Every structure is written in structure tokens, then in C-alpha cells.
Amino acid sequence: MSESKMEDPGGPQSEADVIKVILLGDSAVGKSKLIERYLMDDYNPRQDSTYALTLFRKNVELDDGTSAKVDFWDTAGQERFNSMHPSYYYQAHICILVFDVTRKQTYKQLSEWYRELREYCPEIPCILVANKIDVDYQVTKKNFKFASQHNLPFFFVSAADGTNVVKIFDEAIREGVQYKINGKTDFVTECLELFDDSPLTAANSGDSDGKDGHK
Amino acid sequence: LRVEAWRALCDVDESSASGPPLHELSPETVSQVRRDVERSLWNLLPETTKRLGLDSDGTGDVSKRARTRAKLSLKKRRESLNALILSYLRHSGSHYYQGLHDVAGVVSLVHSGCTPLALAVLLRMGQSWMSVPSREDFNPLITAVRHTIYPLLKKFDPPLHTYLTKMGVEPFFCIPWVLTFFTHSSKSLSSASRLLDVAVASHQSFVLFMCVAAVVLERSHVMGGGQMHPDEGHAECHRRLCEVAGRIEGGGRWQEVVERAIGYIKKVPPMRIGKGKEGGTYWEDPGTWAVRGRGEAAWARGRGGGRKVRKRNRRKMELVMDEGTKGGEGNVGGGMGETRARIAAGNSKGNKGGTTQIAIAVAIAAVMVGAFKAFNS
């Protein structure tokens, strides 16, 4: 690319035809492993922590025969990474909320994650996922009230053996597409779009304290 | 060898962290550390990973005996790492953040476990670049990144800066790099420990210059190699930015990043970054890497202050830069040049055992240069 072209790339900031799927849940519940299983049909017990915001993209064929680009956003589960969450939630179309059936604490934390989700995205659909059922399949007989309390679709999954993984992502993409078509826009997103200036521009000019950037 | 170099660079010894731990840890912190440690060290121990049959291509030796040995070895090392992190947190009072375990993992392996010296070195790092992410929350870190990365990029690569700002990408792509001094992207202990050589030998803000240097070095990839789709948005751009560290690791190009970053910090000393309309700088914010109050010598063990001292320290910093760029016949010699200069700077400040330090360090540096060249080849 020549220098002159780079001066003015002319690209828009967002892609109109992309579905944004976000994953939420405590640290080590298996968010990254679920994505890995879905995207690569693979599971390696070798684990790694995720920091900040990680993005995976896949072209997906939709039910109507058309295709769409789907962005899967993964983030760190530790609470201190919440400072970056406004960017994470921005223009999201669907959320997959994950907990670990082997750790009760991750289930208890769901209410906190859900509260934050609704703060930024009051309208987007959300799917609740109980991961690591391969550790003890008896857990699938248990009743998890959080899903019914909040009227969320609920699935038992295992990133380790692949149970239901494709199903939940297909469901998420379907719901995300539907949400996008219906044209609902979150209040927060609407507000942000009112700002003409990119927060980066403001920060760079020294006029901003940089705390209100959302992209 | 590296143990001795870090001891000298950090100006610590076995007794530096001999006091009793002063801070209690919450059960949540202990639990978080344990979970992260259980997911750590894979990248630093590729042989062990291979023996466990968990390398990326799954072609490792998976004989039962080898696997059992590898499992025990990994377990032992993780226990040491867990102990080191908990000791660090209890001694420093710092807040644990995901990423600290990556850095501690390198320190632990270099020192063969949770030794008093490993703890002292980690505590010293905790006073340097790790001090900002170790605060109560990440707001100071976010502020630091927002106020430095793009202004620096604007100075050193205006077209790339224009591109990224037009795409609307937040500089969050470099958060993992800053948190771990890029060690999260390392595929071997050699590479990760080399990065921490730079960390212990440089200014506490140097990692920010490294971030900018890395992005500039991979500018073609970041900008889509000229093949950018007209509808492409910030997400795809963010994805490519996140790949930068992995690409540099894969290409063995860390030395290029370091040398480029040295060039940047020479041109824009940390005090000058983020100068606002009111005349203050981002560095004066006590919530971030506060450098100004202590002079630019903060990079040299947080001492200094006063005009004369700052002037002298600027000279030392120049010496670091000069030495850093001189060493560069091999890929990593420059860093050891920094090491010599840094230790020399320490001596001129009247540190205890300065002459001996120099003698040891020069000898260490000479051997390490050879070792690194061998490693790179």
C-alpha cells in the first residue's frame, strides 16, 4: 500500500454485515475453549488465560442460504478487566453467558454478569450455557433457576467433548441475525452514535480525559 | 547466568525480601491465582507440553512413562509458581491481575523455583512497569495506554496513526503486551526471559514504546497488506493488531522491536508524552507511571530528583541507548549493552558493591551476548 493511500484509507469504522457475538462469564469457565471447539472443531486441554479483548471471525452460512461474517469476542473473566467492557459490549448482537458446573461460584456470579450486560445492552438476546458437563453428566439432571428467572434459553455443553457446542453457536448466530434484522438498537449504542468525534481523536488532541471512549 | 544478571540489574539479593509478609490475601485472590497457575507455563515449556501430547500439532511423545514424568514436573513447577505469586502479593500488597502469572512464571523458571532471589526480583519488577496494572483497578492502566500509544504513533508513523484512528480502534490491543511485557506471546522460555531482560534493564514506561515499535514494525499486516476490503471495520483491524506480537515472536524479531523502541524513547523521553493544554503531562498523574517527581532516573531504581540529578540521569539514559544500539551485530547483543550501561549507571550513583557489580556484569554480559547469539542462530 502506498504512503498516499495510507494517508486516507477511507474505510468506515464498522462493518454493516457483521454479527457480533460476545461471551461473558467468570475466569476459567471455558469461554475461549468453547470458541476454539466451535471454530476448529478441536479441543486441547492445554489452557491459557485470555486478556483484554480477543476477536475471532468466521464466515457462516445462514438458514436462508446467504452468508454472514460473525465476530466472536472473547474477554478476560477477572473483574478488573471490566474497564474495557464498554468496548466489548458496543454494537453486540447476542451474548453467550457461560458458567462452570463444577464451580458453584461461577453460577452465583451470573447475576452480576447479567446485570452488567443489561446495563450496556438492555435488549440483545442472551443464551445461558452450563459448561464442563463432561466432568459429571449427572449434573444435567439438576435444575438451574437462573435461566427460568430471566427467561433465557439454557443449554448444557462441554467444550471438552463437543456436546451441544455447535448447537449453541448456531442458535446464537440465528438469534443475533434476528436481532440485527429487527433493527433494535440499544440505548447506549444510540447515545454513542450521537457523538461525531471519535473518542480517540479527542484523546489525541488532549481535549479528553480518555475515559469515555467506547469503540 | 541470567539469575546473576537480574540480581545485579535489580540491585537485589537473597535478603531483599526477607521481611515477614505484611498483607493478607482474600480467598478470591488465592483462588484466582490457583486457576491461572493451573493454566500456565505451557508456552514456556514446549518440551513438557510435547511429552504430554498437548503441543499444537498433537504429535508429541505420549508414552505413559514420559507423560507421567512430564506431569509431575509441570505440577512441581506450578506449585513453585503459585508459592512465588502468593509470596509476592503478601509482601508487596499489590493487587493480582491476570498476566502477572505469566511474568512470575518466567521469573520462577529462570530461578528454578520460588527462591528468595526470585521473590526479590519480582518485587523489583512490581515497582517498575508492573506497578500500574497492579493497582486497585485497571483505570490507571487504561488511561496510560490511551494517552501514550496513539500520540507516540502519531509522532513516529503518522499514516498508520491516521489509519487506526479512522478505523476507530481503541489501543486495547496492547493491554496484554503491557501486562506481561509481551511474554504472553512467547513460545519459549528463552524468548520470554530475553523480554524480561529488557524489562529489568529499561525505564518503567519502556513497554509502551515497545508496543508502538511492534505495531510500526508490523504496519503492513496491521493495514491489511494493502488488501483492505472497502467495508472493513474496526473489529477486523483490532484482530490484526492482536496478531502483531505473535507474528514478531514467530519471526524472531524482538530485537528489532527493542532497537526501534530505544530510538523512540530517545526522541520522546517519557516526561514529554501526553503533554496537555494545561502544561502538565500524563506522567504527573499519581495514578499512573509517575516519573516526573522522581526525575527520569525512576528507571534506575526510583531514585533521583533535582535538576542536577535529572541531568546526570539523562546522560545515563543516553548511555543506555548508545550501548543498546552498539551491541547489535547479533540480534540480542544490544540488550546486554543496555545491561552494562545500566549497571554502570548504578555504580555512578554510588550503589553498594558497584565496582564488583560492573566486573560481574560485564563478564555476564559478554557471555550472555554469546549465548543469545547462539540462541538466535
Side-chain angles (χ1 to χ4, degrees), chain B residues 84-130:
Chain B
L84 177 62
I85 296 172
L86 295 181
S87 290
Y88 165 77
L89 296 173
R90 286 180 177 130
H91 276 85
S92 66
S94 297
H95 294 269
Y96 177 74
Y97 66 87
Q98 286 188 292
L100 194 155
H101 68 293
D102 276 328
V103 178
V106 181
V107 174
S108 171
L109 291 178
V110 166
H111 289 84
S112 305
C114 178
T115 65
L117 194 57
L119 177 58
V121 166
L122 197 58
L123 285 166
R124 179 66 73 195
M125 288 181 181
Q127 293 167 358
S128 181
W129 103 95
M130 274 168 32

Side-chain angles (χ1 to χ4, degrees), chain B residues 151-367:
Chain B
L152 284 172
L153 203 56
K154 188 175 185 178
K155 178 164 182 62
F156 295 114
D157 195 335
L160 184 56
H161 171 264
T162 304
Y163 172 78
L164 293 179
T165 50
K166 279 198 174 181
M167 296 298 275
V169 184
E170 282 268 35
F172 292 159
F173 54 85
C174 66
I175 296 286
W177 307 345
V178 176
L179 294 179
T180 67
F181 214 97
F182 293 94
T183 54
H184 189 58
S185 308
S186 296
K187 300 290 180 213
S188 68
L189 179 59
S190 313
S191 168
S193 49
R194 165 62 189 138
L195 283 162
L196 290 194
D197 287 345
V198 179
V200 296
S202 61
H203 185 279
Q204 56 185 321
S205 68
F206 192 68
V207 66
L208 299 170
F209 292 86
M210 292 259 294
C211 291
V212 175
V215 173
V216 173
L217 203 62
E218 283 290 328
R219 69 193 307 281
S220 174
H221 176 70
V222 170
M223 298 175 84
Q227 304 299 315
M228 192 180 76
H229 189 273
D231 293 332
E232 190 173 277
H234 71 278
E236 181 64 6
C237 187
H238 173 85
R239 190 187 62 76
R240 285 200 301 265
L241 281 159
C242 290
E243 290 174 345
V244 162
R247 288 172 64 87
I248 290 170
E249 170 72 16
R253 302 173 73 196
W254 287 118
Q255 187 59 26
E256 284 179 64
V257 174
V258 172
E259 285 174 7
R260 197 179 278 264
I262 288 172
Y264 292 168
I265 203 171
K266 280 176 85 170
K267 286 179 184 162
V268 183
M271 277 173 64
R272 289 195 209 154
I273 304 177
K275 196 160 186 172
K277 283 181 178 174
E278 301 79 18
T281 70
Y282 139 76
W283 300 103
E284 290 170 318
D285 180 352
T288 56
W289 279 283
V291 175
R292 189 167 186 169
R294 292 182 287 167
E296 290 183 359
W299 63 279
R301 291 179 288 283
R303 299 176 191 169
R307 187 176 294 176
K308 280 187 179 176
V309 174
R310 284 202 294 274
K311 190 176 174 185
R312 195 175 65 204
N313 288 330
R314 264 199 294 278
R315 175 69 198 111
K316 287 172 199 161
M317 189 180 285
E318 284 166 15
L319 180 62
V320 169
M321 306 313 170
D322 293 343
E323 287 287 313
T325 49
K326 270 183 211 165
E329 185 198 333
N331 266 345
V332 289
M336 286 302 103
E338 288 172 50
T339 306
R340 283 198 298 273
R342 171 76 188 275
I343 291 164
N347 180 54
S348 70
K349 286 162 72 86
N351 286 338
K352 56 183 175 182
T355 311
T356 317
Q357 270 189 358
I358 293 179
I360 293 170
V362 169
I364 289 169
V367 179

Side-chain angles (χ1 to χ4, degrees), chain A residues 8 13 15 51 80 210 215, chain B residues 102 133 135 146 166 170:
Chain A
D8 184 15
Q13 293 178 355
E15 292 171 73
Y51 311 138
R80 56 178 38 236
K215 277 185 184 175
Chain B
D102 276 328
R135 288 169 200 267
R146 277 197 173 130
K166 279 198 174 181
E170 282 268 35

Side-chain angles (χ1 to χ4, degrees), chain A residues 1 3 6-9 12-15 27-28 44-49 51-53 55 57 71 73 76-78 80-81 83-84 87 103 200 204 207-211 213-215, chain B residues 32 35-36 39 42 54 95-99 101-102 133 135-136 138-139 146-147 150 159 161-162 165-166 168-170 172 184 219 223 226 230-236 238-239 277:
Chain A
M1 187 181 281
E3 288 287 310
M6 287 186 289
E7 291 279 1
D8 184 15
Q13 293 178 355
S14 308
E15 292 171 73
S27 176
N44 189 334
R46 167 185 169 160
Q47 298 170 310
D48 208 349
S49 307
Y51 311 138
L53 314 172
L55 167 70
R57 172 164 289 190
D71 284 347
W73 287 80
Q78 197 188 9
R80 56 178 38 236
F81 286 84
S83 314
M84 278 166 275
S87 304
R103 281 193 292 139
L200 290 173
N204 292 339
D207 295 337
S208 162
D209 64 2
K211 287 177 182 171
H214 286 276
K215 277 185 184 175
Chain B
Q32 179 75 57
R35 281 199 304 278
D36 286 336
R39 299 189 284 173
W42 298 114
L54 299 175
H95 294 269
Y96 177 74
Y97 66 87
Q98 286 188 292
H101 68 293
D102 276 328
R135 288 169 200 267
E136 194 171 5
F138 272 168
N139 288 332
R146 277 197 173 130
H147 283 239
Y150 281 108
H161 171 264
T162 304
T165 50
K166 279 198 174 181
V169 184
E170 282 268 35
F172 292 159
H184 189 58
R219 69 193 307 281
M223 298 175 84
D231 293 332
E232 190 173 277
H234 71 278
E236 181 64 6
H238 173 85
R239 190 187 62 76
K277 283 181 178 174

